[in-house]
Amino acid sequence: QVQLVESGGGLVQAGGSLRLSCAASGNIRSIADMGWYRQAPGKQRELVAGITLSGSTNYADSVKGRFKISRNNANNTAYLQMNSLKPEDTAVYYCNAHDAARYYWGQGTQVTVSS
């Protein structure tokens, strides 16, 4: 069993930056891949960035070159560094993690980018 808690969301101006954190607890050694998803009003939840246990990453085309996902094994935390933010990035951002059998979700953190 894994618990995920996101933090770091807020209101920022276009062009600014935010760093989201996802703190994992529970059976953290079972976690394989982790990822960040987002859901904007009226849209489906989409994968923003993913990172494997070995550190391989992938990004949605809309955020390539602007966002960077990372993970810290020492404090069991995943991060999403968000630079050059656009109003289109406004969404609730969710942390995701999975082990061999289950997917886990955090409660989400709101990111609002003003123009």
Side-chain angles (χ1 to χ4, degrees):
Q1 189 70 24
V2 174
Q3 304 293 326
L4 304 173
V5 179
E6 304 98 331
S7 63
L11 175 64
V12 298
Q13 186 175 334
S17 298
L18 282 174
R19 191 189 193 195
L20 305 183
S21 298
C22 174
S25 61
N27 191 16
I28 56 176
R29 293 193 299 176
S30 69
I31 296 175
D33 296 356
M34 299 187 72
W36 286 94
Y37 290 71
R38 68 185 181 188
Q39 187 167 22
K43 295 186 177 181
Q44 297 291 312
R45 187 174 299 185
E46 64 175 347
L47 176 67
V48 176
I51 185 167
T52 68
L53 187 63
S54 62
S56 297
T57 59
N58 66 283
Y59 298 90
D61 288 341
S62 60
V63 306
K64 286 181 179 177
R66 299 189 297 119
F67 293 7
K68 184 177 181 180
I69 188 171
S70 61
R71 62 196 297 176
N72 188 312
N73 294 326
N75 61 9
N76 308 308
T77 303
Y79 304 94
L80 184 67
Q81 179 66 46
M82 310 166 67
N83 299 322
S84 301
L85 283 162
K86 304 175 180 179
E88 298 93 309
D89 296 318
T90 295
V92 178
Y93 284 70
Y94 298 90
C95 182
N96 169 265
H98 74 81
D99 57 24
R102 300 176 182 87
Y103 283 75
Y104 305 93
W105 294 94
Q107 295 299 310
T109 184
Q110 176 70 47
V111 172
T112 302
V113 184
S114 64
S115 60

